[in-house]
Amino acid sequence: MRVWNGRGLGLPRRPLVALAVLAAAAVLAAGCGSDNNSGSGGNSSGSGGGGIYGGGGPTSTAGGASSVATVSAASTSLGMILVDGSGRTLYLFEKDQPNQSACAGACAAAWPVDQTSGTPKAGSGVTASMLGTIKRSDNTTQVTYNKHPLYYFQGDSGTGQHNGQGVDAFGAKWYVVTPAGGADTGA
């Protein structure tokens, strides 16, 4: 089907929409290659969108910046792993340094940070002394466990999902976190 564009018959609209989507994906991919080792980073609002890794996840992560985060351990098909107070899986990023996030911008859109407005609470199966926080450049506070900044994955649409396990994105791999404070690499 050709569409009237005011100057005559033009190209069908669907290829133009597809081209716009591809252009947007290219812009996101360009942001993936940036190396931000500043120790803290960009937008960590945890809001929706979905990015290139899925979507369908909630538009809010830790209940917003006005709530105190809770971290617990839960039994899953991967074994005992860390989850938030709602049962959503938490991840670590191998590129991070102790108490420093290497994830900002497009990375933080695909992997929203676990935010808190105060000292995080230790739920069942978690060692309270291993919980901590770091301040990000956007003035949000991110939860850490055993000095690993904690994140969600936009590809997890609810509790009990761990679709981000072993994903290689933004320069390193992402893993669920064990109650002992390390990455569960499945080895």
Side-chain angles (χ1 to χ4, degrees):
M1 173 180 170
R2 293 188 167 257
V3 179
W4 177 258
N5 66 8
R7 293 172 287 177
L9 292 177
L11 294 174
R13 290 185 190 253
R14 284 188 196 167
L16 293 177
V17 171
L19 182 59
V21 170
L22 288 173
V27 169
L28 281 174
C32 297
S34 67
D35 187 11
N36 180 358
N37 288 326
S38 65
S40 62
N43 181 358
S44 59
S45 67
S47 61
I52 58 177
Y53 292 100
T59 58
S60 176
T61 52
S66 64
S67 66
V68 175
T70 298
V71 177
S72 299
S75 180
T76 70
S77 61
L78 296 175
M80 291 296 285
I81 64 170
L82 298 188
V83 297
D84 73 358
S86 300
R88 291 194 59 216
T89 302
L90 295 168
Y91 298 89
L92 64 76
F93 184 34
E94 284 191 322
K95 191 174 180 180
D96 288 344
Q97 296 299 312
N99 290 321
Q100 292 184 333
S101 173
C103 181
C107 177
W111 298 88
V113 303
D114 184 12
Q115 293 183 41
T116 188
S117 63
T119 303
K121 296 177 186 173
S124 174
V126 170
T127 304
S129 63
M130 294 177 89
L131 280 171
T133 61
I134 58 173
K135 195 63 125 180
R136 296 178 62 87
S137 64
D138 64 356
N139 262 352
T140 59
T141 303
Q142 183 173 7
V143 179
T144 63
Y145 192 73
N146 194 29
K147 300 183 182 180
H148 295 288
L150 299 179
Y151 305 86
Y152 297 96
F153 178 50
Q154 278 294 344
D156 291 344
S157 60
T159 61
Q161 295 186 351
H162 32 76
N163 298 315
Q165 174 67 358
V167 169
D168 191 342
F170 301 100
K173 289 198 174 188
W174 297 82
Y175 293 109
V176 296
V177 186
T178 68
D184 181 349
T185 62

